Amino acid sequence: MANNKYPFYFITVGLISLLLGLICGLLAGFQYVIPSFIKEVLPFNAVRPLHTLFVVSWILLSAIGGIYYYIKPKNIQFVKVHFWLFIITGIGIIVSYLTKNFEGKEYLEFPSYFYFPIVIGWILFGINFFKTMIPTFRSWPVYYWMWATGIAFMIYHFTEAHLWMLPYFRTHFIQNIAIQWKSGGSYVGSWNMLVYGTALYVMSKISNVENYASSKKAFFFYFLGLTNLMFGWAHHIYIIPTAPWIRYFAYAISMTEWIILFSIIYDWKNGLSKEKKIEFAVAYKLMLLADFWVFLNIILALLISIPSINIFTHGTHITVAHSMGTTIGINTLILLSSITYILELESPFTIQTFIRINKGIRIFSLSFLCFWMCLLGMGIRKSYWMYWKNNLSFSQFQDSQHWINILFVFFGLGILIGLYRIILELLKYVNRLTNSNS
């Protein structure tokens, strides 16, 4: 292991954040079934932003930790400052949510002053990345381009998401809501660049073949992802009175989402030798599962991007199913694949560890598929109620959802159990590695 342990610290906190995010998600699910459940201590309006915070932190921290490990940054001091900035800021945001201090916008509900340490952390990350990688700029494979783009756009769109602090945006409702959803969509697109770049890096290194990362198809996927990052957000604002060409363009862009990534992973899987599949068995299996969820989410994304369908799905659990398919089915599995690849590089898993992780993967996979289908069912029922059965009151409709809510929580518990088994094994391995190199 390199002397710099901070990539492993990022990964450790990321894994803990994933576990906390799952627990908060399960608590929110219980509140669907039993509305009074811990309502006085931790109401839904606090559990939901905590769930979002922990899940987003998992994606960003584990992606950052992986990138730091892969590029071996020159300035270790910047890495340390970056880590502690994010940890202290994260604790501050948690406290603000627990004390019901919501001063931000949706998904970024924390007080606006937390913007400054977060963006400083990203700037330090960017400086370190470019300072380390600029000497090889002319021969960059696509994953370096994706990481560079993701970092730069994360700084830009995270700043854009806080433009509401300026009087102009606060006093113009249409511009305010449009830029909120625009920045939110592009913000997700930015971290997708980090995650998908990580997927291509891991696939290249496992196969020991760089053609994937330097091929025309990979760069086409990169520019397609970049186009989605810059313009795909607009399919979130069909309901806002914007220029028609924006809606049509967003619709066309949305039709291309993830198709190339699916193709690249499929080609990589078919070209990989049996020896490589065995050498990095866990990372390989997790990447294949991510490919399965890319395929399912392609179908769902194509459907809900059609304006005439989007009218009925927007604001229902179908949108949640789409975001969960992306966040857990694609991003989480890719990042777990990256982490297991790093750990297997440092010290191959024992047979016992492999068996325990494999059991966790099986429990997670079945539970998450059923959980995702529950979300689709809940979304279809809500859409039907909103447009064809609105003689029922909201409370009556919620009562009619009781049994599907119970299933939703049950399968959510299965996801927690499956991922807990995986996370526990990975944390034990990381702890062993960091302590053995003290």
Side-chain angles (χ1 to χ4, degrees):
M1 185 194 299
N3 291 330
N4 179 19
K5 294 181 182 179
Y6 275 83
F8 290 91
Y9 295 160
F10 273 100
I11 288 170
T12 298
V13 179
L15 287 167
I16 294 169
S17 296
L18 175 58
L19 188 57
L20 291 173
L22 291 167
I23 291 169
C24 287
L26 191 64
L27 291 176
F30 276 122
Q31 290 179 340
Y32 267 93
V33 178
I34 309 169
S36 60
F37 178 72
I38 63 169
K39 187 175 181 180
E40 298 302 319
V41 181
L42 205 60
F44 185 80
N45 68 336
V47 174
R48 183 177 181 267
L50 280 170
H51 170 68
T52 303
L53 170 68
F54 287 129
V55 172
V56 171
S57 296
W58 145 246
I59 292 171
L60 296 178
L61 291 171
S62 54
I64 291 167
I67 293 168
Y68 273 139
Y69 178 88
Y70 297 135
I71 69 170
K72 305 295 186 287
K74 290 188 175 181
N75 194 323
I76 305 303
Q77 196 59 41
F78 274 15
V79 179
K80 293 178 181 179
V81 174
H82 183 188
F83 176 77
W84 288 111
L85 265 177
F86 274 19
I87 294 300
I88 294 168
T89 304
I91 292 170
I93 293 172
I94 292 167
V95 170
S96 73
Y97 286 168
L98 291 175
T99 55
K100 319 296 189 300
N101 184 8
F102 308 114
E103 296 179 14
K105 292 285 188 176
E106 188 175 15
Y107 303 121
L108 300 171
E109 291 95 338
F110 48 80
S112 55
Y113 48 77
F114 285 119
Y115 158 79
F116 298 101
I118 293 173
V119 83
I120 289 169
W122 280 102
I123 290 170
L124 291 175
F125 186 30
I127 292 170
N128 222 348
F129 178 87
F130 287 104
K131 187 177 179 181
T132 303
M133 302 307 303
I134 278 296
T136 60
F137 171 76
R138 293 183 181 276
S139 58
W140 276 6
V142 72
Y143 44 78
Y144 290 145
W145 283 100
M146 296 176 81
W147 290 340
T149 305
I151 294 167
F153 275 95
M154 183 65 77
I155 295 168
Y156 175 80
H157 289 298
F158 188 69
T159 300
E160 186 181 49
H162 287 83
L163 288 179
W164 62 268
M165 293 188 288
L166 301 177
Y168 172 79
F169 293 99
R170 278 205 305 271
T171 54
H172 291 77
F173 177 77
I174 298 298
Q175 289 92 329
N176 197 343
I177 196 73
I179 205 161
Q180 176 188 336
W181 284 103
K182 177 205 180 294
S183 59
S186 297
Y187 183 71
V188 172
S190 300
W191 81 51
N192 281 344
M193 278 288 184
L194 302 180
V195 175
Y196 299 162
T198 299
L200 289 170
Y201 181 94
V202 171
M203 287 190 292
S204 295
K205 299 307 175 184
I206 288 179
S207 64
N208 204 26
V209 176
E210 287 290 336
N211 326 1
Y212 298 106
S214 302
S215 65
K216 291 180 180 178
K217 181 183 284 187
F219 273 95
F220 178 63
F221 164 60
Y222 164 68
F223 285 110
L224 187 66
L226 181 60
T227 307
N228 268 279
L229 188 163
M230 296 173 71
F231 303 107
W233 54 267
H235 75 264
H236 291 291
I237 59 168
Y238 285 149
I239 58 172
I240 296 174
T242 53
W245 72 267
I246 294 178
R247 302 178 193 180
Y248 300 142
F249 188 64
Y251 172 62
I253 291 295
S254 297
M255 293 296 99
T256 65
E257 216 166 20
W258 295 312
I259 293 173
I260 305 301
L261 178 62
F262 174 77
S263 174
I264 289 173
I265 299 178
Y266 180 81
D267 290 345
W268 168 76
K269 175 194 71 173
N270 289 341
L272 205 59
S273 68
K274 288 184 179 179
E275 291 78 12
K276 288 293 182 181
K277 292 177 183 178
I278 294 170
E279 184 180 357
F280 298 100
V282 179
Y284 171 75
K285 185 169 186 175
L286 289 165
M287 195 66 76
L288 286 192
L289 276 174
D291 195 38
F292 170 73
W293 280 100
V294 169
F295 174 71
L296 287 185
N297 250 31
I298 285 170
I299 297 170
L300 184 59
L302 295 179
L303 289 174
I304 68 174
S305 294
I306 299 170
S308 56
I309 295 178
N310 187 271
I311 290 172
F312 299 101
T313 64
H314 193 84
T316 72
H317 284 88
I318 293 172
T319 304
V320 180
H322 173 251
S323 64
M324 288 295 99
T326 305
T327 305
I328 300 178
I330 301 174
N331 290 349
T332 292
L333 288 170
I334 286 173
L335 292 169
L336 286 173
S337 178
S338 171
I339 292 169
T340 54
Y341 168 71
I342 290 171
L343 297 181
E344 287 181 291
L345 269 181
E346 293 288 336
S347 176
F349 290 142
T350 63
I351 296 297
Q352 292 78 10
T353 300
F354 175 78
I355 290 170
R356 287 193 288 265
I357 291 176
N358 210 36
K359 283 182 180 177
I361 291 173
R362 286 202 296 269
I363 294 169
F364 160 77
S365 299
L366 180 59
S367 299
F368 185 55
L369 181 61
C370 295
F371 177 86
W372 189 75
M373 292 174 70
C374 277
L375 285 170
L376 292 180
M378 292 163 76
I380 291 168
R381 284 174 61 87
K382 185 172 183 181
S383 181
Y384 179 75
W385 167 72
M386 286 192 301
Y387 292 96
W388 290 284
K389 201 75 174 176
N390 51 18
N391 57 315
L392 287 177
S393 68
F394 180 72
S395 61
Q396 289 173 318
F397 168 72
Q398 285 294 91
D399 289 342
S400 73
Q401 293 272 78
H402 183 69
W403 285 107
I404 196 168
N405 286 339
I406 290 175
L407 285 175
F408 172 71
V409 173
F410 175 77
F411 293 125
L413 182 61
I415 294 170
L416 177 62
I417 292 169
L419 284 179
Y420 172 79
R421 293 178 68 102
I422 299 169
I423 292 166
L424 186 63
E425 291 301 318
L426 297 182
L427 284 174
K428 285 194 294 188
Y429 236 69
V430 171
N431 183 59
R432 196 178 310 148
L433 285 172
T434 52
N435 287 336
S436 65
N437 287 270
S438 297

